[in-house]
Amino acid sequence: MADGQIAPRAQVKLADYRPPAYQVEHVALDFELDPKATIVKARLKLRRNAPGPLKLDGRKLELLSISLNGEALGDNRYVLDDESLTIHEVPDEAVLETSVRINPAENTELSGLYTSGSGFFTQCEPEGFRKITFFPDRPDVMARYHVRMRADAKEFPILLSNGNKLASGFENGKAFAEWEDPHPKPSYLFALVAADLVSLKDEFTTQSGRRVDLGIWVERGDETRCGHAMEALKRSMKWDEDTFGLEYDLDIFNIAAVSDFNAGAMENKGLNIFNTAYVLADAQTATDTDFQNVERVIAHEYFHNWTGDRVTCRDWFQLSLKEGLTVFRDQEYMADQFSAAVKRIADVRLLRATQFRDDAGPLAHPVRPTSYIEINNFYTTTIYEKGAEVVRMYRTIIGREAFRRGMDAYIAKNDNSAATVEDFWAAMQSVSDTDLKQLMLWYEQAGTPEVSFDEAWDGENFTLTLRQSLAPTPGQTEKHPMLIPVAMGLLDKAGKDLHQEVLLLREAEQSFTFKLAQKPEAVSLFRHFSAPIKLKGQSRERLAFLAAHDTDLFNRWDALQQYATAVLLENVEAHQAGKPFTLDAGLKGAIAATLHEAAQDPAFAAEALILPMESLLADEMKIADPEAIHAVRQAARRALGQALQAEFQAAYETFGNAAPDDVSGPAMGARALRNAALSYLCAAGNTNLAARQFAAAGNMTEKLAALTNLVDEPGKAREDALKAYYGEWADTKLALDKWFSVQARSNAPDTLAIVQGLAAHPDMDLRNPNRVRALIGAFIANPSKFHDPSGDGYKLLADFVLRLDETNPQIAARLVTGLGTWRRFRPARQELMKAELERVLAREQLSRNTYEMASKALG
């Protein structure tokens, strides 16, 4: 039975939180590592904390022995079931010793201790430690750890764990190592690696003079692709000191990379374990986006050292306390490393494409949920990205200096403890006179607020009236007005700011009056996306003005996106009525102006050239029509490419001089703009240009951009390019993932058939989450192909979900949500999607991971 296939499917509720009956002051772990039969001995020093028996979590553990204060316990002294071990008679202070046997080689869920590649790895967040030994596996139990491990010296010579290394060597043909972490931590931060790895080593000196040994551990042959990750780590350590005054607190910081990993990375204290996708990067195998992702995830996990490790969350309902805050921190870091405006655009595009859609459907949940069946299912963009937006709103309201003081207060008061979102609110409130209590509604209410506005001018006074509304979501029919910071500017005809301010919208309807010498030409609202809302009511004329003149770069981009959305949706209606596509003069002019001004900021221009995604257009329709949306967006790209062919050709030639291995911000921006121009030129019919770029590409960014355009058209050019790419990169896992993904995202008419064939490809490895995401995750994100009228796309997804549920329920549960948008379509398509959800739910012994998400998706 796979992890999670446990009955009954009872909900865990925030309201039922109780402190643990016992705290664990110290843990001594001893591992005799063997792939099929690892022995784990644990010695727990216990202290009573609250009334109740001692209850230890444990799954798939073979109990070999148990003793309390040196006395062996008979089976009449404890209760053992599939999920826990309970002892009712335990002194207020006690030492519990257990010995268990586990089978890491059979752990396909990749949670707990498992084998992958050359060795052993762990993933304990959120509830993996209970598959290693019996323990109160909850984040509010924080203990100090001492770890000793032994393994075959030839097969597993590198032995790593949390904290600082005390000793290592060889005994009786085995390698051994002892590690000790001086900081108390919850069990989800425990980490162990035992493998045949090599490392890239470096060092960092903190602002107080501490020397920290740095190591990135990878499979042999991959060490040449770690340089960017190491430099990103050192930049992150320096930035956290300079920006938040937070210094690293151990003598060693290690990163170990593994290709079989459910998530991106894990912030285990002193030993981060990473998906290889977020460590390995060189110009030949990684795109510019990959380089940025490595930088971002390295920073994110390092920043967790304080916002997650030193200050952790009291319970899993507080997950956004560490994740939302740390996402905000990594967003700010990336904004400082590259273009702040482009970074903000990328963050908001992700939020709208994923989190806004969740908020509008059956999977909507608050930033702090009130219940769950399986906590793994709540590692969502609502917890992470929307949670980061809540943190950003704190800073927007109280200001940067006060926010820094609030962060200092939060860390100081909660260091080495488990906190709640109320603790974060209290720290911010302590440094500000503004009443912040209403911000807590962002943690409590699901959904995306909509804001509309009216304007009035009486010759001296400009009055802006704002209205907010929040639609009902599952389990929440009544909503209260939120506290919404509205960063705004009043512009004259030339785009100059007449007035700037951050307004605080607290009521359902609220008016603000400004005394001005002249009537504003336009109001610019929610600059830099000051709150995660949907702004309604802007005319096309207003959007055109803001796209051309707004001094806030984010709002310039957003106005162009909203203008293009209106144009494209108008054409979708025409397409449905059998009318041809008409290129809007305003859209053409805005794209031409973007190209004309591109040299000022190529990265921003590249973002501005991207038309709204098909999924975002669908979100604006009452009944989504994937075929019509796809046809119109493709027609728009083709029409713009033809109408502005000379301008796109000039941009393609002008911005092609960046060195292939230059991964600086300007070089990335130039390549992004050049590849955006290539996309329009190919849409206009010049695919020979893509073929030439593919053949001459000096890095993966250029090669993959060319291949992306070539796969859109069936024929010899496509087949030759795919064959050449596979021949070059078949033995490089991360590069081969791109080969799967580029075909799954293709606009070609035969994409569904190709994906069905790739599902049976010899290199399609279900054990590897990266490969599954590369094919099936990418296919779900291709609306016109996934939503094929035959329903075969839905069937393919459900088949994968059922297969994965047997081995890796976490990945299965995340994928099944692709069927949760069925309400957005016409009845025929609805029935096809619902039928596949019902087929998934009909599986006996379905994991509780998949059950929870499929049942919510079905409704």
Side-chain angles (χ1 to χ4, degrees):
M1 182 182 296
D3 175 44
Q5 295 178 334
I6 298 168
R9 297 186 175 103
Q11 286 195 339
V12 181
K13 298 180 179 180
L14 172 61
D16 293 339
Y17 172 81
R18 298 293 182 273
Y22 286 84
Q23 282 288 352
V24 181
E25 296 181 340
H26 187 268
V27 185
L29 297 173
D30 185 284
F31 289 85
E32 193 71 35
L33 293 164
D34 180 274
K36 294 184 178 180
T38 289
I39 305 298
V40 184
K41 297 178 181 178
R43 185 179 187 274
L44 312 183
K45 184 179 180 182
L46 304 166
R47 172 180 52 81
R48 179 169 290 282
N49 182 64
L54 173 64
K55 184 175 182 179
L56 307 177
D57 300 294
R59 293 182 188 171
K60 296 186 177 181
L61 306 177
E62 180 186 353
L63 181 62
L64 302 177
S65 66
I66 179 171
S67 65
L68 184 65
N69 289 337
E71 178 187 353
L73 299 184
D75 56 14
N76 63 329
R77 297 278 303 277
Y78 58 87
V79 177
L80 179 64
D81 60 31
D82 288 340
E83 291 198 71
S84 63
L85 185 155
T86 303
I87 307 174
H88 286 275
E89 297 181 2
V90 178
D92 289 349
E93 294 186 357
V95 173
L96 180 73
E97 296 177 88
T98 60
S99 177
V100 301
R101 181 163 38 229
I102 57 177
N103 188 338
E106 289 189 357
N107 184 354
T108 59
E109 304 96 344
L110 312 183
S111 173
L113 179 66
Y114 63 94
T115 58
S116 173
S118 70
F120 297 85
F121 297 86
T122 56
Q123 171 57 27
C124 292
E125 185 179 355
E127 296 178 341
F129 193 72
R130 64 191 61 192
K131 285 174 264 180
I132 294 175
T133 191
F134 288 104
F135 196 82
D137 190 15
R138 45 188 290 171
D140 56 352
V141 175
M142 301 179 69
R144 289 178 170 82
Y145 283 66
H146 180 281
V147 178
R148 180 179 173 85
M149 62 189 100
R150 286 176 298 280
D152 183 275
K154 184 177 181 180
E155 291 190 65
F156 316 110
I158 303 301
L159 304 175
L160 307 173
S161 191
N162 309 88
N164 297 318
K165 184 160 67 172
L166 301 181
S168 63
F170 301 91
E171 55 185 19
N172 300 323
K174 291 191 173 184
F176 79 90
E178 289 188 39
W179 292 79
E180 187 167 77
D181 188 349
H183 299 282
K185 65 174 179 284
S187 53
Y188 80 85
L189 291 173
F190 171 77
L192 178 152
V193 171
D196 184 12
L197 303 176
V198 294
S199 69
L200 174 65
K201 295 184 178 180
D202 208 327
E203 63 181 55
F204 179 83
T205 302
T206 68
Q207 59 187 3
S208 67
R210 178 197 293 267
R211 173 183 159 174
V212 182
D213 292 328
L214 308 177
I216 298 180
W217 298 86
V218 294
E219 296 280 356
R220 294 182 183 278
D222 287 337
E223 61 270 24
T224 59
R225 300 160 65 196
C226 298
H228 182 71
M230 181 62 80
E231 293 305 311
L233 174 58
K234 292 188 291 184
R235 283 191 292 268
S236 302
M237 298 175 81
K238 181 68 165 58
W239 184 90
D240 216 15
E241 291 182 345
D242 294 343
T243 307
F244 287 103
L246 298 174
E247 180 179 326
Y248 189 62
D249 52 0
L250 290 169
D251 300 331
I252 298 173
F253 188 91
N254 280 319
I255 291 172
V258 57
S259 61
D260 297 319
F261 203 73
N262 283 337
M266 182 60 212
E267 69 266 20
N268 317 297
K269 184 74 176 177
L271 175 55
N272 286 188
I273 298 181
F274 268 63
N275 187 324
T276 52
Y278 299 104
V279 170
L280 305 180
D282 62 18
Q284 297 306 307
T285 60
T287 65
D288 289 344
T289 298
D290 294 329
F291 275 97
Q292 291 189 334
N293 283 336
V294 168
E295 183 107 26
R296 174 182 58 82
V297 178
I298 289 281
H300 181 94
E301 303 308 326
Y302 174 74
F303 295 156
H304 265 312
N305 185 63
W306 283 96
T307 52
D309 294 2
R310 287 285 288 262
V311 181
T312 191
C313 49
R314 185 195 71 178
D315 53 69
W316 291 120
F317 297 101
Q318 321 294 329
L319 180 58
S320 189
L321 179 67
K322 74 181 185 75
E323 294 300 347
L325 176 54
T326 306
V327 168
F328 168 77
R329 277 156 47 73
D330 81 51
Q331 289 175 348
E332 289 298 288
Y333 168 79
M334 292 296 288
D336 285 348
Q337 305 307 308
F338 299 96
S339 163
V342 171
K343 174 57 179 169
R344 191 70 182 129
I345 289 166
D347 293 338
V348 174
R349 181 182 279 123
L350 171 65
L351 188 78
R352 287 174 172 169
T354 55
Q355 199 282 318
F356 276 22
R357 185 174 303 120
D358 285 351
D359 260 354
L363 300 177
H365 63 84
V367 174
R368 180 168 64 181
T370 57
S371 66
Y372 61 81
I373 294 176
E374 173 52 62
I375 185 56
N376 278 301
N377 291 335
F378 280 91
Y379 284 72
T380 64
T381 51
T382 297
I383 300 294
Y384 282 65
E385 277 70 27
K386 188 175 182 179
E389 295 300 318
V390 176
V391 174
R392 186 177 298 275
M393 285 190 288
Y394 273 107
R395 192 185 69 177
T396 299
I397 292 170
I398 69 176
R400 288 179 177 270
E401 291 184 5
F403 182 81
R404 168 61 195 273
R405 295 197 306 272
M407 279 290 295
D408 291 346
Y410 171 68
I411 297 291
K413 186 171 182 180
N414 298 286
D415 191 15
N416 285 322
S417 67
T420 66
V421 294
E422 284 83 1
D423 293 317
F424 187 77
W425 168 84
M428 294 299 154
Q429 187 64 82
S430 72
V431 299
S432 175
D433 294 331
T434 302
D435 184 357
L436 302 173
K437 187 64 177 177
Q438 200 177 356
L439 270 178
M440 289 298 296
L441 288 173
W442 285 94
Y443 291 103
E444 298 165 5
Q445 295 187 150
T448 304
E450 292 189 354
V451 176
S452 59
F453 65 98
D454 288 322
E455 305 167 9
W457 172 252
D458 65 7
E460 293 183 354
N461 299 296
F462 179 81
T463 300
L464 175 68
T465 300
L466 299 173
R467 300 178 184 88
Q468 63 166 298
S469 62
L470 187 57
T473 53
Q476 293 184 340
T477 56
E478 295 185 7
K479 304 286 189 175
H480 303 285
M482 310 278 252
L483 171 54
I484 301 177
V486 185
M488 54 81 69
L490 301 176
L491 307 179
D492 68 11
K493 291 183 178 181
K496 180 181 178 182
D497 282 311
L498 300 173
H499 180 80
Q500 297 183 68
E501 189 175 345
V502 175
L503 309 176
L504 298 185
L505 176 59
R506 294 182 180 272
E507 308 297 333
E509 180 175 323
Q510 200 169 339
S511 295
F512 304 87
T513 300
F514 309 90
K515 189 175 183 63
L516 299 170
Q518 66 182 83
K519 179 182 178 181
E521 180 68 20
V523 57
S524 171
L525 295 171
F526 295 99
R527 289 181 152 186
H528 213 59
F529 201 64
S530 60
I533 58 90
K534 293 182 178 180
L535 179 60
K536 300 294 184 179
Q538 298 195 95
S539 68
R540 197 178 293 188
E541 293 73 23
R542 172 68 58 81
L543 291 170
F545 177 85
L546 293 174
H549 299 293
D550 203 329
T551 55
D552 182 82
L553 279 180
F554 173 84
N555 270 17
R556 285 187 63 186
W557 167 83
D558 196 34
L560 179 53
Q561 287 287 296
Q562 299 307 319
Y563 185 95
T565 296
V567 168
L568 293 175
L569 289 177
E570 184 179 83
N571 272 279
V572 168
E573 290 185 10
H575 180 88
Q576 291 171 327
K579 298 178 181 179
F581 177 82
T582 302
L583 179 59
D584 178 83
L587 179 59
K588 175 187 170 184
I591 296 298
T594 298
L595 288 166
H596 179 71
E597 300 170 359
Q600 298 176 19
D601 189 341
F604 175 79
E607 291 287 348
L609 290 174
I610 301 173
L611 294 177
M613 297 292 101
E614 292 179 23
S615 59
L616 294 177
L617 294 171
D619 289 343
E620 296 299 317
M621 298 180 68
K622 187 174 181 180
I623 299 177
D625 187 340
E627 293 90 353
I629 291 170
H630 178 71
V632 165
R633 189 174 185 275
Q634 290 296 94
R637 293 176 63 242
R638 181 168 55 253
L640 286 166
Q642 291 171 345
L644 300 171
Q645 185 167 355
E647 290 87 341
F648 281 118
Q649 185 68 41
Y652 182 79
E653 293 171 358
T654 299
F655 293 95
N657 297 322
D661 59 351
D662 184 353
V663 292
S664 66
M668 288 184 178
R671 280 192 291 267
L673 180 56
R674 185 174 191 251
N675 287 329
L678 174 67
S679 176
Y680 279 99
L681 291 168
C682 288
N686 191 3
T687 54
N688 288 334
L689 191 61
R692 291 197 296 272
Q693 178 168 311
F694 181 82
N699 58 35
M700 182 57 77
T701 301
E702 296 171 351
K703 184 176 289 290
L704 193 66
L707 184 60
T708 298
N709 288 285
L710 289 171
V711 298
D712 281 352
E713 295 292 335
K716 186 174 185 300
R718 177 180 75 172
E719 301 312 313
D720 288 349
L722 287 170
K723 182 179 179 181
Y725 185 100
Y726 183 85
E728 186 174 7
W729 298 114
D731 294 329
T732 305
K733 287 184 178 180
L734 295 177
L736 189 59
D737 288 340
K738 294 174 173 60
W739 184 80
F740 278 90
S741 182
V742 74
Q743 295 179 78
R745 294 181 184 274
S746 169
N747 292 313
D750 57 350
T751 294
L752 173 57
I754 287 174
V755 172
Q756 289 171 325
L758 289 172
H761 193 280
D763 290 314
M764 185 61 220
D765 182 4
L766 280 184
R767 181 185 166 97
N768 183 259
N770 287 345
R771 188 60 47 83
V772 173
R773 287 186 284 257
L775 181 65
I776 302 304
F779 180 60
I780 295 170
N782 189 346
S784 66
K785 310 308 175 187
F786 174 60
H787 294 290
D788 187 89
S790 67
D792 287 347
Y794 310 143
K795 182 179 184 300
L796 178 67
L797 172 57
D799 288 344
F800 264 86
V801 167
L802 289 170
R803 291 169 64 191
L804 284 163
D805 190 70
E806 297 176 353
T807 56
N808 193 332
Q810 285 188 41
I811 301 301
R814 291 170 189 171
L815 290 176
V816 79
T817 60
L819 295 167
T821 58
W822 60 267
R823 295 164 182 81
R824 303 294 317 284
F825 300 98
R826 298 190 183 280
R829 194 171 261 124
Q830 286 187 7
E831 293 306 314
L832 292 170
M833 298 178 80
K834 288 166 63 179
E836 295 306 324
L837 283 169
E838 289 166 350
R839 179 161 72 95
V840 169
L841 287 166
R843 160 74 66 84
E844 292 187 9
Q845 294 295 317
L846 187 70
S847 76
R848 66 187 184 193
N849 306 64
T850 305
Y851 169 83
E852 180 175 28
M853 302 311 284
S855 60
K856 285 184 176 181
L858 186 60

